[in-house]
Amino acid sequence: MKTQHLFLCTGSLCTLIAAFSAGVWAQATATQQNPTKLWHWPDSMDSINAAPKNHKVLFENDHVRLLEVTVQPGETENMHGHKYPSVFMMDAPQPRTVNKNLDDNDTPQPGNKPPPRNDGGTAAYPTCRAMTTPQSPHQVTDVDTFPQHFYRMEFKKIDGDAIREMKSYPPTQ
C-alpha cells in the first residue's frame, strides 16, 4: 500500500514538473517565433490608434509597417505603444525629450530606449537603431526647440532562421 502511494505521489510530481517545463518551453518558443506575444495591451494603445497625430503610416503590408514619427517642440504625444519589433531610422539630430512610461516609471526598460541624440554635430545621417521587442505604452514630450522626426519600420512578421528552409520568398503554400 505504501509503495503504491509513493509511486502515485512520485508519478504525480513528475507529471507536474513535465507539464510546467512544457509550458515554459511553449511560451519561450511562441515568443521567439511571434514577438507580438509580448504585447498585452489593447489595440487601441497601438501608436497609429492612440497617437495618430504623431504616427503616420507611409506603407504597410503583411510583413512590415513604415511609420513617419514627428513630435513638435513643446508637444506631448498621447500615451501609446508599439506592438511590433522595429528599427528607428533617423535622418536628423534628435531633440531632447522626456519619455514617460505607462507605469509612471521614467527609467528606460529593456528595449524601450529612445533614438540616440546628436549633441556634437558629428554624427553621419541617416543612422539606425533596432528595438527587438514591442515597446510598452509611453508618451514622449519634445522639450527642445526643434521637432523630433524619424522613421520607424515595424516588423509584423519575422521569418528569422526559418528562411534557410525556404526555396523562394515569400514561401509557397
Side-chain angles (χ1 to χ4, degrees):
M1 182 77 165
K2 288 183 181 182
T3 304
Q4 288 176 337
H5 189 284
L6 181 61
F7 181 75
L8 182 61
C9 288
T10 303
S12 297
L13 183 61
C14 287
T15 301
L16 182 64
I17 291 171
F20 176 77
S21 299
V24 168
W25 174 83
Q27 185 175 10
T29 300
T31 300
Q32 290 170 359
Q33 292 175 352
N34 187 0
T36 60
K37 294 287 185 190
L38 299 173
W39 176 262
H40 57 271
W41 295 274
D43 282 344
S44 62
M45 289 299 292
D46 188 29
S47 62
I48 62 171
N49 298 323
K53 179 181 179 212
N54 305 98
H55 298 83
K56 179 181 177 185
V57 178
L58 299 179
F59 176 81
E60 185 169 16
N61 65 20
D62 291 341
H63 295 267
V64 296
R65 178 168 70 181
L66 176 62
L67 303 177
E68 182 175 26
V69 181
T70 56
V71 182
Q72 300 302 324
E75 180 182 14
T76 299
E77 299 176 295
N78 291 339
M79 185 67 68
H80 68 282
H82 300 273
K83 62 183 180 178
Y84 302 111
S86 59
V87 173
F88 293 94
M89 298 166 284
M90 281 78 60
D91 60 348
Q94 296 300 296
R96 288 175 290 139
T97 60
V98 173
N99 188 20
K100 181 178 179 182
N101 294 321
L102 183 63
D103 62 4
D104 291 325
N105 182 358
D106 290 337
T107 304
Q109 300 299 312
N112 287 354
K113 295 178 183 174
R117 175 176 161 72
N118 175 19
D119 288 326
T122 58
Y125 293 96
T127 186
C128 295
R129 179 186 180 114
M131 183 170 293
T132 59
T133 62
Q135 189 175 14
S136 61
H138 61 282
Q139 62 186 158
V140 171
T141 301
D142 183 339
V143 296
D144 218 322
T145 59
F146 61 97
Q148 181 178 44
H149 178 262
F150 62 93
Y151 299 93
R152 185 177 189 137
M153 177 69 75
E154 297 181 328
F155 296 92
K156 296 166 63 175
K157 180 177 184 264
I158 300 173
D159 293 312
D161 287 337
I163 201 164
R164 293 180 183 179
E165 305 300 320
M166 296 178 196
K167 302 300 179 205
S168 66
Y169 197 88
T172 54
Q173 304 311 14

